[in-house]
Amino acid sequence: QVQLQQWGAGLLKPSETLSLTCAVYGGSFSDYYWSWIRQPPGKGLEWIGEINHSGTTNYNPSLKSRVTILVDTSKNQFSLKLSSVTAADTAVYYCARPILYTRALEYWGQGTLVTVSS
Amino acid sequence: EIVMTQSPGTLSLSPGERATLSCRASQSVTSSYLAWYQQKPGQALRLLIYGASSRATGIPDRFSGSGSGTDFTLTISRLEPEDFAVYYCQQYGSSPRTFGQGTKVEI
């Protein structure tokens, strides 16, 4: 049974850095690209980026200048950092794992609401 | 970036009816790397279809996907009460992976 459990600060001030971590329980860690996705309240979905066990990353160009995704294979965890946040970064952030050999996202974390407000 | 456009925005149907949801890409989706997801309020997404037409594990056969190139369709053959939700398509053949804006299926 694969489970993704995520955590991080839920309230930030403008200009601070968002930091979230996702722990993976069950299944292989090394066979996949691990993703972050966000969803502003009442709106659609935005793919943020992905990382594999070797640390190879792909980022959405719209966020690339502010995003860092890291991996810790010793703990089966990966993390998201988003710098210089503004109110526009207020969203539910999800971590996710795809089906093997695809990028279709099969397993999802529970989601973390991050609110940016002064 | 591939822009995904879903239609209609809202679909008003009754249990037992057939639902047909459309997803159009601004350019051809590589190798039909197209997924459909279901989302209910306050919940994460649930993968329904990947590779345009393959059902994910545990997904009932009333859900089916079709299409290729730039035009894709999700069909729910007979709506069950639990199927009323928002549905998103996503292309994952090229980076950045992009989602449609969603179709709400309501009673």
Side-chain angles (χ1 to χ4, degrees), chain B:
Chain B
E1 169 175 325
I2 299 178
V3 177
M4 308 300 291
T5 303
Q6 293 185 239
S7 60
T10 302
L11 202 50
S12 298
L13 295 168
S14 299
E17 290 193 299
R18 180 185 188 90
T20 302
L21 288 67
S22 177
C23 176
R24 176 164 289 179
S26 61
Q27 54 190 282
S28 185
V29 175
T30 305
S31 302
S32 294
Y33 288 152
L34 189 286
W36 289 95
Y37 301 87
Q38 177 193 70
Q39 187 178 37
K40 297 180 180 178
Q43 297 184 18
L45 277 70
R46 177 192 183 196
L47 177 66
L48 302 174
I49 301 288
Y50 65 98
S53 61
S54 298
R55 270 188 300 277
T57 302
I59 301 304
D61 61 8
R62 65 180 181 272
F63 291 92
S64 63
S66 63
S68 63
T70 60
D71 291 299
F72 299 88
T73 300
L74 174 70
T75 302
I76 311 171
S77 58
R78 293 174 309 279
L79 283 164
E80 297 287 343
E82 62 267 27
D83 299 336
F84 292 91
V86 180
Y87 293 83
Y88 294 94
C89 63
Q90 181 210 17
Q91 68 79 22
Y92 54 92
S94 62
S95 186
R97 327 296 176 195
T98 46
F99 293 86
Q101 80 280 18
T103 290
K104 182 178 183 179
V105 178
E106 65 176 22
I107 298 176

Side-chain angles (χ1 to χ4, degrees), chain A residues 11-60:
Chain A
L11 181 60
L12 297 173
K13 291 181 168 48
S15 80
E16 292 184 333
T17 296
L18 178 157
S19 182
L20 298 173
T21 299
C22 184
V24 179
Y25 301 98
S28 168
F29 189 79
S30 61
D31 287 338
Y32 302 92
Y33 269 87
W34 302 90
S35 288
W36 288 99
I37 301 96
R38 70 180 183 177
Q39 185 174 34
K43 296 187 178 180
L45 298 145
E46 182 176 32
W47 178 80
I48 300 169
E50 62 189 11
I51 191 167
N52 70 2
H53 71 287
S54 301
T56 301
T57 54
N58 293 309
Y59 295 138
N60 192 322

Side-chain angles (χ1 to χ4, degrees), chain A residues 59-80:
Chain A
Y59 295 138
N60 192 322
S62 68
L63 297 169
K64 189 173 184 177
S65 63
R66 299 193 291 131
V67 170
T68 303
I69 298 177
L70 300 171
V71 67
D72 185 342
T73 56
S74 68
K75 296 181 180 179
N76 283 6
Q77 294 177 2
F78 61 108
S79 61
L80 169 69

